[in-house]
Amino acid sequence: MNSITLILALAAVVAVSIIIIVASQLREKARIERARKITALEDRYKRCERLLTELPAQYLTPELKLLLLNEMEAACDNLAALSTGLPVEKWREAATQEKARIQDEQDTTTPVAIDTPEKSRYIKELLESLFKLITSMHKSGRIDGETSREKQQYILFLVHKTHADLHVFQAREHIRKNQIRQAIHAYHMASTEMGKSRDNPLATRAVKAFRKRIAELEAVNEKGESTGSAEPDSELDKQWDRFFHEDDWKKKPDYDD
């Protein structure tokens, strides 16, 4: 074997080795990228499912629920194309059935009371997660800018509502204990929270209602009367429990003075 043949043979061996190494690296890169996509899609599905099941039912409008369910279905479609071992068909079927219930107006919701600081903080965390999801959907082009702004504004309103819920609960407890000054302060805090969403008509009516309730309690406090004159479950509190039924607020003309 002459030197030229030897050189060519060595070059061929090197070339084949390089091809094998590159091909191996490409396969590994593809494997890692596939695993990354599967993890991201699974996280996307479970994130939406968590928001759908753990956020207070009264907070999620049908539009928001359908938005989350559409995300879950899209995640399932992409996972199915990757042939994973995940129960994708089961997930998709559950999302589709829930979507049908909402579209047929058969969705039943049980309001969740925000009665502890821990619960208030947890719900705030969920709302922050929902806010980030909406931002991500907009950046990826899955929803338009107008829809994104509308949903984000509503989510910020819900954050304020969550804080106000806790203050209203605390105010009721103070009244039951004949702690009128503390109750007044709690209603002031609730009013301040709702005032942060001044562009929302429901929030504006709520602020007026809180002011009316505060005036009632101040009158009781000035007279030195007991909680018998300051019902812990006033008409405002009952209406607050049905806050998202807008007609309940419209029926009170003195809220719109």
Side-chain angles (χ1 to χ4, degrees):
M1 182 180 293
N2 59 39
S3 59
I4 295 178
T5 303
L6 181 60
I7 292 171
L8 290 174
L10 290 173
V13 170
V14 170
V16 170
S17 298
I18 291 174
I19 292 172
I20 292 173
I21 293 171
V22 170
S24 177
Q25 289 177 338
L26 289 175
R27 283 197 301 270
E28 180 63 14
K29 184 177 180 180
R31 185 191 69 78
I32 293 172
E33 179 61 17
R34 181 176 179 275
R36 186 197 66 78
K37 286 182 179 180
I38 291 172
T39 300
L41 289 167
E42 183 181 6
D43 287 346
R44 179 175 154 193
Y45 176 92
K46 290 184 175 179
R47 180 185 187 185
C48 291
E49 183 184 41
R50 180 188 176 209
L51 292 170
L52 194 62
T53 57
E54 297 187 22
L55 274 170
Q58 69 268 26
Y59 280 17
L60 291 174
T61 63
E63 291 78 13
L64 267 177
K65 289 180 180 179
L66 290 174
L67 196 68
L68 291 172
L69 288 164
N70 285 337
E71 279 289 282
M72 292 163 71
E73 286 184 329
C76 288
D77 290 341
N78 289 324
L79 283 169
L82 293 171
S83 302
T84 71
L86 297 168
V88 176
E89 289 305 317
K90 182 179 178 181
W91 290 353
R92 193 209 314 266
E93 183 180 357
T96 301
Q97 289 177 352
E98 183 63 21
K99 187 175 177 179
R101 278 195 293 271
I102 294 170
Q103 291 173 331
D104 294 341
E105 298 183 352
Q106 295 179 352
D107 181 40
T108 57
T109 59
T110 302
V112 176
I114 314 301
D115 51 12
T116 66
E118 292 77 19
K119 188 178 291 185
S120 179
R121 283 193 294 269
Y122 180 63
I123 291 172
K124 182 183 176 183
E125 290 175 4
L126 291 175
L127 290 171
E128 289 173 348
S129 178
L130 179 57
F131 190 95
K132 291 177 182 177
L133 175 63
I134 297 297
T135 301
S136 172
M137 292 173 68
H138 177 225
K139 287 182 178 178
S140 65
R142 302 199 296 277
I143 58 174
D144 57 43
E146 183 178 353
T147 300
S148 176
R149 285 189 296 273
E150 176 191 336
K151 302 306 181 190
Q152 288 176 329
Q153 187 176 22
Y154 178 69
I155 293 166
L156 290 175
F157 161 71
L158 291 179
V159 171
H160 303 148
K161 171 68 167 57
T162 298
H163 294 162
D165 271 335
L166 179 59
H167 293 309
V168 170
F169 175 83
Q170 291 171 335
R172 295 182 190 183
E173 291 301 302
H174 287 313
I175 291 174
R176 289 188 177 95
K177 297 174 183 177
N178 201 26
Q179 298 170 339
I180 304 302
R181 287 186 180 277
Q182 291 92 324
I184 291 171
H185 176 71
Y187 278 122
H188 271 300
M189 295 296 291
S191 178
T192 298
E193 286 298 329
M194 295 311 295
K196 295 175 183 178
S197 289
R198 61 179 61 89
D199 293 334
N200 188 298
L202 282 176
T204 300
R205 281 195 289 276
V207 169
K208 293 178 180 180
F210 284 133
R211 289 173 181 169
K212 181 175 183 292
R213 180 60 168 154
I214 289 168
E216 293 172 352
L217 292 173
E218 286 176 340
V220 170
N221 193 51
E222 286 176 6
K223 294 177 181 178
E225 296 175 349
S226 67
T227 52
S229 300
E231 298 178 10
D233 296 316
S234 68
E235 182 61 28
L236 174 134
D237 295 324
K238 294 174 184 176
Q239 299 250 343
W240 182 254
D241 291 338
R242 304 188 300 272
F243 182 86
F244 289 101
H245 298 279
E246 189 171 354
D247 288 345
D248 287 344
W249 292 88
K250 290 181 178 178
K251 288 175 183 177
K252 299 294 291 182
D254 52 343
Y255 289 175
D256 295 318
D257 290 341

